[in-house]
mmCIF file of all heavy atoms in Angstrom:
data_model
loop_
_atom_site.group_PDB
_atom_site.id
_atom_site.type_symbol
_atom_site.label_atom_id
_atom_site.label_comp_id
_atom_site.label_asym_id
_atom_site.label_seq_id
_atom_site.Cartn_x
_atom_site.Cartn_y
_atom_site.Cartn_z
ATOM 1 N N ILE A 622 12.786 7.953 20.643
ATOM 2 C CA ILE A 622 12.725 6.616 20.129
ATOM 3 C C ILE A 622 13.653 6.531 18.917
ATOM 4 O O ILE A 622 14.439 5.580 18.875
ATOM 5 C CB ILE A 622 11.268 6.259 19.792
ATOM 6 C CG1 ILE A 622 10.367 6.139 20.982
ATOM 7 C CG2 ILE A 622 11.269 4.950 18.983
ATOM 8 C CD1 ILE A 622 8.909 6.103 20.722
ATOM 9 N N HIS A 623 13.544 7.434 18.064
ATOM 10 C CA HIS A 623 14.416 7.428 16.810
ATOM 11 C C HIS A 623 15.876 7.471 17.201
ATOM 12 O O HIS A 623 16.808 6.631 16.782
ATOM 13 C CB HIS A 623 14.138 8.590 15.887
ATOM 14 C CG HIS A 623 15.142 8.805 14.781
ATOM 15 N ND1 HIS A 623 16.178 9.750 14.936
ATOM 16 C CD2 HIS A 623 15.176 8.259 13.568
ATOM 17 C CE1 HIS A 623 16.854 9.736 13.822
ATOM 18 N NE2 HIS A 623 16.312 8.830 13.003
ATOM 19 N N ASN A 624 16.317 8.369 18.089
ATOM 20 C CA ASN A 624 17.680 8.552 18.509
ATOM 21 C C ASN A 624 18.240 7.322 19.130
ATOM 22 O O ASN A 624 19.383 6.903 18.870
ATOM 23 C CB ASN A 624 17.858 9.780 19.417
ATOM 24 C CG ASN A 624 17.888 11.087 18.715
ATOM 25 O OD1 ASN A 624 18.277 12.142 19.237
ATOM 26 N ND2 ASN A 624 17.340 11.135 17.500
ATOM 27 N N THR A 625 17.469 6.661 20.001
ATOM 28 C CA THR A 625 17.963 5.511 20.683
ATOM 29 C C THR A 625 18.289 4.379 19.699
ATOM 30 O O THR A 625 19.352 3.781 19.853
ATOM 31 C CB THR A 625 16.980 4.944 21.744
ATOM 32 O OG1 THR A 625 15.693 4.738 21.124
ATOM 33 C CG2 THR A 625 16.786 5.916 22.854
ATOM 34 N N PHE A 626 17.404 4.155 18.819
ATOM 35 C CA PHE A 626 17.659 3.027 17.855
ATOM 36 C C PHE A 626 18.744 3.384 16.924
ATOM 37 O O PHE A 626 19.438 2.474 16.334
ATOM 38 C CB PHE A 626 16.366 2.586 17.164
ATOM 39 C CG PHE A 626 15.514 1.771 18.100
ATOM 40 C CD1 PHE A 626 14.257 2.261 18.517
ATOM 41 C CD2 PHE A 626 15.883 0.536 18.490
ATOM 42 C CE1 PHE A 626 13.520 1.522 19.417
ATOM 43 C CE2 PHE A 626 15.031 -0.232 19.319
ATOM 44 C CZ PHE A 626 13.824 0.243 19.814
ATOM 45 N N GLN A 627 18.925 4.693 16.463
ATOM 46 C CA GLN A 627 20.073 4.997 15.669
ATOM 47 C C GLN A 627 21.341 4.848 16.387
ATOM 48 O O GLN A 627 22.316 4.330 15.801
ATOM 49 C CB GLN A 627 19.928 6.508 15.281
ATOM 50 C CG GLN A 627 18.747 6.907 14.405
ATOM 51 C CD GLN A 627 18.973 6.246 12.954
ATOM 52 O OE1 GLN A 627 19.962 6.474 12.341
ATOM 53 N NE2 GLN A 627 18.016 5.496 12.526
ATOM 54 N N LEU A 628 21.355 5.116 17.657
ATOM 55 C CA LEU A 628 22.564 4.927 18.443
ATOM 56 C C LEU A 628 22.832 3.428 18.658
ATOM 57 O O LEU A 628 24.038 3.030 18.714
ATOM 58 C CB LEU A 628 22.401 5.525 19.852
ATOM 59 C CG LEU A 628 22.453 7.122 19.869
ATOM 60 C CD1 LEU A 628 21.807 7.712 21.038
ATOM 61 C CD2 LEU A 628 23.849 7.577 19.579
ATOM 62 N N VAL A 629 21.778 2.538 18.771
ATOM 63 C CA VAL A 629 22.007 1.179 18.687
ATOM 64 C C VAL A 629 22.696 0.670 17.458
ATOM 65 O O VAL A 629 23.673 -0.112 17.519
ATOM 66 C CB VAL A 629 20.626 0.425 18.893
ATOM 67 C CG1 VAL A 629 20.808 -1.073 18.752
ATOM 68 C CG2 VAL A 629 20.135 0.679 20.358
ATOM 69 N N THR A 630 22.203 1.101 16.352
ATOM 70 C CA THR A 630 22.765 0.717 15.049
ATOM 71 C C THR A 630 24.245 1.154 15.019
ATOM 72 O O THR A 630 25.078 0.424 14.448
ATOM 73 C CB THR A 630 21.978 1.395 13.895
ATOM 74 O OG1 THR A 630 20.655 0.933 13.947
ATOM 75 C CG2 THR A 630 22.632 0.993 12.561
ATOM 76 N N ALA A 631 24.552 2.288 15.633
ATOM 77 C CA ALA A 631 25.991 2.761 15.547
ATOM 78 C C ALA A 631 26.851 2.118 16.630
ATOM 79 O O ALA A 631 28.051 2.451 16.651
ATOM 80 C CB ALA A 631 26.003 4.296 15.713
ATOM 81 N N GLY A 632 26.254 1.259 17.442
ATOM 82 C CA GLY A 632 27.052 0.644 18.491
ATOM 83 C C GLY A 632 27.319 1.568 19.694
ATOM 84 O O GLY A 632 28.236 1.250 20.452
ATOM 85 N N ARG A 633 26.549 2.663 19.815
ATOM 86 C CA ARG A 633 26.766 3.579 20.894
ATOM 87 C C ARG A 633 25.890 3.403 22.022
ATOM 88 O O ARG A 633 26.040 3.974 23.104
ATOM 89 C CB ARG A 633 26.643 5.059 20.403
ATOM 90 C CG ARG A 633 27.451 5.427 19.210
ATOM 91 C CD ARG A 633 28.908 5.585 19.612
ATOM 92 N NE ARG A 633 29.187 6.628 20.539
ATOM 93 C CZ ARG A 633 29.730 7.836 20.186
ATOM 94 N NH1 ARG A 633 30.054 8.013 18.842
ATOM 95 N NH2 ARG A 633 29.884 8.805 21.005
ATOM 96 N N LEU A 634 24.821 2.532 21.924
ATOM 97 C CA LEU A 634 23.858 2.289 22.993
ATOM 98 C C LEU A 634 23.382 0.870 22.832
ATOM 99 O O LEU A 634 23.316 0.301 21.716
ATOM 100 C CB LEU A 634 22.665 3.254 22.773
ATOM 101 C CG LEU A 634 21.659 3.365 23.895
ATOM 102 C CD1 LEU A 634 22.384 4.175 25.007
ATOM 103 C CD2 LEU A 634 20.452 4.204 23.440
ATOM 104 N N SER A 635 23.089 0.178 23.950
ATOM 105 C CA SER A 635 22.688 -1.212 23.897
ATOM 106 C C SER A 635 21.204 -1.325 23.466
ATOM 107 O O SER A 635 20.471 -0.449 23.641
ATOM 108 C CB SER A 635 22.866 -1.806 25.331
ATOM 109 O OG SER A 635 21.791 -1.369 26.149
ATOM 110 N N LEU A 636 21.016 -2.404 22.764
ATOM 111 C CA LEU A 636 19.624 -2.700 22.343
ATOM 112 C C LEU A 636 18.724 -2.807 23.494
ATOM 113 O O LEU A 636 17.527 -2.368 23.465
ATOM 114 C CB LEU A 636 19.606 -3.966 21.498
ATOM 115 C CG LEU A 636 18.175 -4.385 20.970
ATOM 116 C CD1 LEU A 636 17.625 -3.293 20.013
ATOM 117 C CD2 LEU A 636 18.338 -5.661 20.195
ATOM 118 N N ASN A 637 19.141 -3.396 24.589
ATOM 119 C CA ASN A 637 18.316 -3.451 25.843
ATOM 120 C C ASN A 637 17.810 -2.046 26.255
ATOM 121 O O ASN A 637 16.674 -1.876 26.624
ATOM 122 C CB ASN A 637 19.172 -4.161 26.975
ATOM 123 C CG ASN A 637 19.333 -5.554 26.790
ATOM 124 O OD1 ASN A 637 18.487 -6.262 26.158
ATOM 125 N ND2 ASN A 637 20.325 -6.119 27.338
ATOM 126 N N ARG A 638 18.694 -1.090 26.235
ATOM 127 C CA ARG A 638 18.353 0.305 26.618
ATOM 128 C C ARG A 638 17.235 0.769 25.758
ATOM 129 O O ARG A 638 16.265 1.415 26.245
ATOM 130 C CB ARG A 638 19.602 1.115 26.573
ATOM 131 C CG ARG A 638 19.279 2.661 26.627
ATOM 132 C CD ARG A 638 18.905 3.055 28.047
ATOM 133 N NE ARG A 638 19.935 3.093 29.016
ATOM 134 C CZ ARG A 638 19.800 3.190 30.265
ATOM 135 N NH1 ARG A 638 18.537 3.387 30.741
ATOM 136 N NH2 ARG A 638 20.759 3.166 31.111
ATOM 137 N N ALA A 639 17.347 0.620 24.465
ATOM 138 C CA ALA A 639 16.345 1.144 23.641
ATOM 139 C C ALA A 639 15.018 0.425 23.708
ATOM 140 O O ALA A 639 13.960 1.034 23.702
ATOM 141 C CB ALA A 639 16.799 1.020 22.113
ATOM 142 N N LEU A 640 14.978 -0.875 23.893
ATOM 143 C CA LEU A 640 13.871 -1.677 24.106
ATOM 144 C C LEU A 640 13.226 -1.306 25.399
ATOM 145 O O LEU A 640 11.941 -1.207 25.468
ATOM 146 C CB LEU A 640 14.114 -3.169 24.014
ATOM 147 C CG LEU A 640 14.555 -3.700 22.679
ATOM 148 C CD1 LEU A 640 15.031 -5.096 22.764
ATOM 149 C CD2 LEU A 640 13.407 -3.546 21.695
#
Side-chain angles (χ1 to χ4, degrees):
I622 294 169
H623 169 266
N624 282 197
T625 56
F626 284 112
Q627 291 293 304
L628 289 163
V629 168
T630 300
R633 303 290 293 259
L634 196 67
S635 73
L636 180 61
N637 284 334
R638 165 70 72 189
L640 293 170

